[in-house]
Amino acid sequence: MRAVDIIQKKRDGVELSAEEIKFFIGGYSKGDLPDYQMAALAMAIVFQGMTPKELAVMTLEMAKSGDQIDLSPIKGIKVDKHSTGGVGDKTSLVLAPLVAAAGVPVAKMSGRGLGHTGGTIDKLEAIAGYQVEIEEEQFFNQVNDIGVSLIGQTGNITPADKKLYSLRDVTATVESIPLIASSIMSKKIAAGADAIVLDVKTGSGAFMKTLDDSIALAQAMVDIGTEVGRQTVGIISDMDQPLGHLIGNSLEVEEAIMTLNNGGPADLRELSLILGSYMLVLGGAAKTDAEAREILERHLADGSALEKLKQLVEAQGGDASMIADPSLLPHASERIEVKAVAAGTVAAIQAEHVGVAAMLLGAGRETKESQIDLAVGLDLRKKVGDKVNVGDTLAILHVNDTKRVEEAKDRIIKAYELSQADVAAKPLVYAIVTKDGVQRFV
Ligand code: URA
């Protein structure tokens, strides 16, 4: 078998056999095939796409390229949740304790942030002492004991994806539905969950800018999950503005605590209830969405979801007094207001600009090596649908180092799209994709 023949076949739109895909992905992962041939195949996939059969084979081959976590020592149906990446998205911090409180075990590995989106593991490190790296045995025992563990990625998960993703990043081949779908699903399959709830973001701040593309991405991932025997659901949710008000590591922990305390911003609470309901149904703790929602609302109202977060933090060596009293979390030394320079109604808030503003203040990484400041970030005071007058506060920056404040302010001003007409409320969820089809709400 020759790599060049396989590239040519894909270039010409002919379906590849399972053997050809295994030869290529396996060979590239082991270092037998050079970057330039992988880059050429990736570009051919960008133009020609992949059939569901090709996609399932490629995804499994990537999942098998490194360690595969066997979660069978953990009792019950393990349901994972994955977001395709948003700004202000702290749903994992809410969902892990909430769903665990409702009886579904959560054994979750999360990543760090890079660029304009944050990572759950960085956020958790705002809690003093919280250990994101624990031994596998402790991970399993903890989930069996208290129902939840949230850790950083361990071992050597999907090295083929790591290598391919770095190559895609520099060869303009990131934006491809089959390549994104196989990248995400290979990691989820290797992480071992029995069922997967995908939060596929759509809008200006997301990988997929249009609803049709977002649905197609969700469908590709649901097809892969179904093909490999993992129940998978895709929820298409809005990213035409950041989720919630607070962006930045410590600030996002604070907002997650407010939500677990039965408060918090309406959009974060609602999305957590929607995603959590699917996790409960897939995990066998509820028969219907309505039943699941009622169970979750009860756990928010009676304090058991917040109590579960305290247990999680304690079990992983963190200071649980910070959960009881969020004023103990790291805070920035200065607050700087960003004032509106025009009037109107907020029509959208470009999440990417907001994420970059937070990064400029030190909340995110510009490069893999950047050190982040856990205390800094921003608080969005106006959201879509709100009226704005000149001089109103759009956002409050939480700052330790003022060096790049002006740049951050410019980004916030740019992020706000103001309309002179009334702005209709946007749905939070646009569609739900399951193996049985697509349910659209718009
Ligand atoms: N997230 C991933 O993990 N992979 C992609 O290709 C895109 C987003």
Side-chain angles (χ1 to χ4, degrees):
M1 220 177 270
R2 294 193 319 156
V4 63
D5 298 328
I6 298 171
I7 298 167
Q8 185 179 352
K9 212 170 152 186
K10 179 47 68 185
R11 183 200 67 191
D12 295 342
V14 182
E15 186 178 55
L16 302 180
S17 69
E19 289 67 37
E20 286 166 331
I21 294 168
K22 287 180 190 169
F23 166 83
F24 215 109
I25 299 298
Y28 179 63
S29 174
K30 282 189 256 130
D32 296 343
L33 294 182
D35 276 351
Y36 54 82
Q37 285 189 309
M38 186 69 238
L41 182 68
M43 191 56 91
I45 292 171
V46 168
F47 283 104
Q48 294 292 359
M50 287 186 115
T51 63
K53 220 163 94 201
E54 286 178 311
L55 196 48
V57 175
M58 168 149 150
T59 308
L60 266 188
E61 198 56 30
M62 297 210 300
K64 282 195 251 163
S65 67
D67 299 341
Q68 288 182 275
I69 313 285
D70 174 10
L71 294 180
S72 60
I74 299 172
K75 296 182 277 280
I77 302 171
K78 279 75 68 181
V79 187
D80 202 353
K81 190 271 319 178
H82 178 82
S83 153
T84 58
V87 174
D89 185 358
K90 65 283 285 175
T91 49
S92 291
L93 295 175
V94 177
L95 283 170
L98 175 57
V99 168
V104 173
V106 179
K108 186 158 176 54
M109 286 184 198
S110 289
R112 294 194 181 275
L114 181 64
H116 74 279
T117 58
T120 301
I121 288 307
D122 297 319
K123 295 169 198 175
L124 282 167
E125 283 183 339
I127 303 165
Y130 189 96
Q131 299 300 311
V132 297
E133 281 172 28
I134 60 176
E135 292 297 323
E136 193 172 85
E137 202 185 333
Q138 187 192 337
F139 178 56
F140 293 164
N141 289 343
Q142 186 178 313
V143 183
N144 279 330
D145 288 348
I146 64 164
V148 60
S149 181
L150 258 178
I151 60 171
Q153 239 150 48
T154 60
N156 185 26
I157 299 243
T158 58
D161 175 63
K162 272 196 198 92
K163 207 169 160 190
L164 178 54
Y165 194 85
S166 312
L167 185 69
R168 287 166 56 209
D169 215 16
V170 292
T171 55
T173 51
V174 169
E175 289 86 356
S176 149
I177 286 173
L179 292 177
I180 296 175
S182 56
S183 166
I184 292 174
M185 288 301 286
S186 64
K187 286 177 283 215
K188 293 289 111 186
I189 291 164
D194 304 308
I196 303 157
V197 175
L198 299 162
D199 179 9
V200 179
K201 303 289 188 192
T202 192
S204 66
F207 268 107
M208 295 292 132
K209 312 287 181 212
T210 69
L211 181 55
D212 285 346
D213 280 351
S214 308
I215 289 176
L217 175 61
Q219 215 147 21
M221 294 194 284
V222 168
D223 286 349
I224 295 169
T226 308
E227 188 70 31
V228 302
R230 317 275 172 116
Q231 277 204 73
T232 307
V233 173
I235 316 282
I236 315 294
S237 77
D238 179 59
M239 202 20 80
D240 259 341
Q241 63 176 334
L243 194 62
H245 293 273
L246 301 178
I247 293 128
N249 298 285
S250 181
L251 289 165
E252 292 192 37
V253 172
E254 197 173 328
E255 199 164 61
I257 293 170
M258 284 183 227
T259 306
L260 287 166
N261 212 1
N262 211 22
D267 57 354
L268 175 59
R269 176 185 166 94
E270 180 60 19
L271 186 59
S272 300
L273 287 170
I274 292 170
L275 296 170
S277 295
Y278 275 92
M279 292 175 79
L280 255 53
V281 171
L282 292 182
K287 288 204 172 52
T288 62
D289 280 2
E291 187 195 344
R293 194 182 173 99
E294 195 236 297
I295 294 171
L296 294 175
E297 283 176 344
R298 188 156 26 90
H299 286 289
L300 289 173
D302 71 8
S304 51
L306 187 64
E307 183 54 35
K308 191 56 76 182
L309 177 64
K310 283 189 204 146
Q311 284 177 17
L312 164 66
V313 167
E314 252 162 30
Q316 289 188 225
D319 180 356
S321 68
M322 291 183 159
I323 309 303
D325 179 4
S327 72
L328 299 174
L329 286 163
H331 282 92
S333 56
E334 250 187 280
R335 308 260 188 289
I336 299 175
E337 295 192 6
V338 184
K339 305 271 192 193
V341 292
T345 304
V346 181
I349 307 172
Q350 298 244 355
E352 191 164 346
H353 282 309
V354 176
V356 172
M359 186 192 75
L360 290 167
L361 298 174
R365 292 184 184 80
E366 216 156 0
T367 69
K368 276 196 199 124
E369 288 71 38
S370 311
Q371 286 291 318
I372 57 175
D373 182 340
L374 295 165
V376 302
L378 50 95
D379 178 0
L380 297 174
R381 304 310 305 157
K382 299 281 183 190
K383 299 261 319 218
V384 169
D386 288 345
K387 299 260 184 278
V388 172
N389 292 312
V390 174
D392 281 357
T393 302
L394 293 176
I396 301 172
L397 308 183
H398 291 233
V399 181
N400 276 332
D401 178 350
T402 53
K403 216 168 39 230
R404 301 180 83 179
V405 160
E406 289 310 313
E407 263 181 275
K409 276 184 169 176
D410 286 349
R411 286 282 184 166
I412 297 294
I413 302 278
K414 262 199 210 124
Y416 274 87
E417 284 175 25
L418 300 178
S419 160
Q420 296 319 308
D422 280 344
V423 174
K426 279 193 186 158
L428 185 60
V429 168
Y430 290 89
I432 293 179
V433 181
T434 67
K435 67 178 186 344
D436 301 321
V438 181
Q439 192 184 0
R440 289 176 81 124
F441 304 115
V442 285

